[in-house]
Amino acid sequence: MSDRPDWAIEGRDWPNRAASRFVTVDDLRWHVQVSGDGPVVLLLHGAGAATHSWRGLIPLLAEQFMVVAPDLPGHGFTGMPPGHGLSLPAMARRTAALMAALGLRPALVVGHSAGAAIGLQMVLDGRCGDAPVVAINGALQPFAGAVAPLFQGLAMGLFVNPVAVRMFAAAARDRSRVARMIRGTGSSIDDTGIDLYARLLRKPGHIAGTLGMMGSWDLRTLRRTLPHLKGGLTLVVGDRDSAVPPSVAAEVGKSLPAARIVTLPGLGHLAHEERPDLVAGVIRDAGLAVRTSSTPA
C-alpha cells in the first residue's frame, strides 16, 4: 500500500475530477485542476488540504474565469519535492514553474491560509506581475517569541520521524477525530468534506507533506516585504476562525493601508467550504479590473 494518496483509490470520485490533469515539471509530478475560460484565477489551498477544498468554489468561478487549482507539493496527489522544497520561497518558485509549464499567467491569485502566503510570495517575487491577491483567512503572521522555534522544531521533528507520521495517519482512521479537528477551526462543513479530509489524512505521505511545510515555514521575510506589494490585496476573514485569528488580518492591514478587509460573520477557517457562494462573490469583486482581458500566454 502506497504512503501517498492513490488517484485510482483516494481519487476515484474526487471533486471536479473531470478537470484534473497530471503535469511533470522538472522533478515534480503535479496534480492540477483547470476549468472554465477567461482571465486566469489561481487557487492555492492551505496546509493539510488539497484541491477538494475548492470543490464548491471552482464551478462558480469557472462561469467567468479560467480556474487553475493545484495540489501543492507534498499534498494530495502531487509528489513530495526533495531537499528543502517545502519552504515558502521554494513553494512559490515551484508553483510559478507549474504555471509557466501550463502556459498560463494568473490575473488573480486566491490563497487560503498558508496558500495565501505562497500567493503573496509569488507576486512579491515578480512571478505574477501585479496580480491582485485574495487571502482567505490568510496565515500571514509568524509565530511569535520563544514558541516559534519550538513549534517549527516540533513540526520538523515529526516530519522526519516516520513512526510519528504513521501514528498521525492511523489516528485519522477514526472519522470522528477528523470531524473534531475541523470543528476546532471554527468551521462546520458537510459530511463529504470531512470524508475527503479523512481520506487524505490517513495517508502518511500527505501527513509528511503537511508537517514538512509547517516545519519549513518562515513568514518573517514575507511580512517585512509585504508593504512593497503593488497589486491589490483583499483579506477575507471568517469571524469564527480559531486557527488564524481575525486579528492577523487587522495587523496586516496596518502595514498595508490599501488592503481591503471583508469579514464574513458566522464562518470559520474553512469559510470558502462553508459558503462558497459568498467567497465567490468577494473573488468576483476583486477580479472586476481583470475580467475584460484574457491572460493565457
Side-chain angles (χ1 to χ4, degrees), residues 38-97:
V40 177
V41 176
L42 174 61
L43 302 182
L44 302 172
H45 66 76
T51 49
H52 75 282
S53 185
W54 308 113
R55 65 193 178 280
L57 195 57
I58 287 177
L60 297 176
L61 295 179
E63 296 173 1
Q64 295 168 293
F65 301 99
M66 175 181 286
V67 183
V68 181
D71 286 348
L72 292 172
H75 289 68
F77 302 97
T78 294
M80 178 76 80
H84 300 287
L86 295 174
S87 69
L88 176 55
M91 296 274 254
R93 184 173 60 252
R94 284 186 176 272
T95 304

Side-chain angles (χ1 to χ4, degrees), residues 124-150:
L124 288 165
D125 288 346
R127 302 181 190 277
C128 301
D130 293 334
V133 177
V134 177
I136 304 168
N137 293 319
L140 305 175
Q141 179 67 51
F143 289 95
V147 73
L150 177 62

Side-chain angles (χ1 to χ4, degrees), residues 150-207:
L150 177 62
F151 177 84
Q152 286 191 311
L154 176 61
M156 186 54 71
L158 292 171
F159 167 62
V160 299
N161 184 341
V163 174
V165 169
R166 290 186 180 281
M167 287 177 62
F168 269 70
R173 294 173 189 161
D174 182 349
R175 184 183 180 280
S176 65
R177 291 191 178 189
V178 177
R180 286 196 301 271
M181 179 187 71
I182 291 172
R183 286 198 302 271
T185 70
S187 283
S188 176
I189 64 174
D190 61 20
D191 288 344
T192 297
I194 293 171
D195 289 340
L196 289 165
Y197 276 104
R199 195 180 296 183
L200 293 179
L201 293 172
R202 290 167 186 156
K203 305 302 289 187
H206 180 80
I207 293 289

Side-chain angles (χ1 to χ4, degrees), residues 137 182-188 237-246 263-271 274:
N137 293 319
I182 291 172
R183 286 198 302 271
T185 70
S187 283
S188 176
V237 179
D239 70 355
R240 292 186 58 193
D241 188 354
S242 53
V244 176
T263 300
L264 301 179
L267 300 182
H269 191 59
L270 303 177
E274 294 179 280

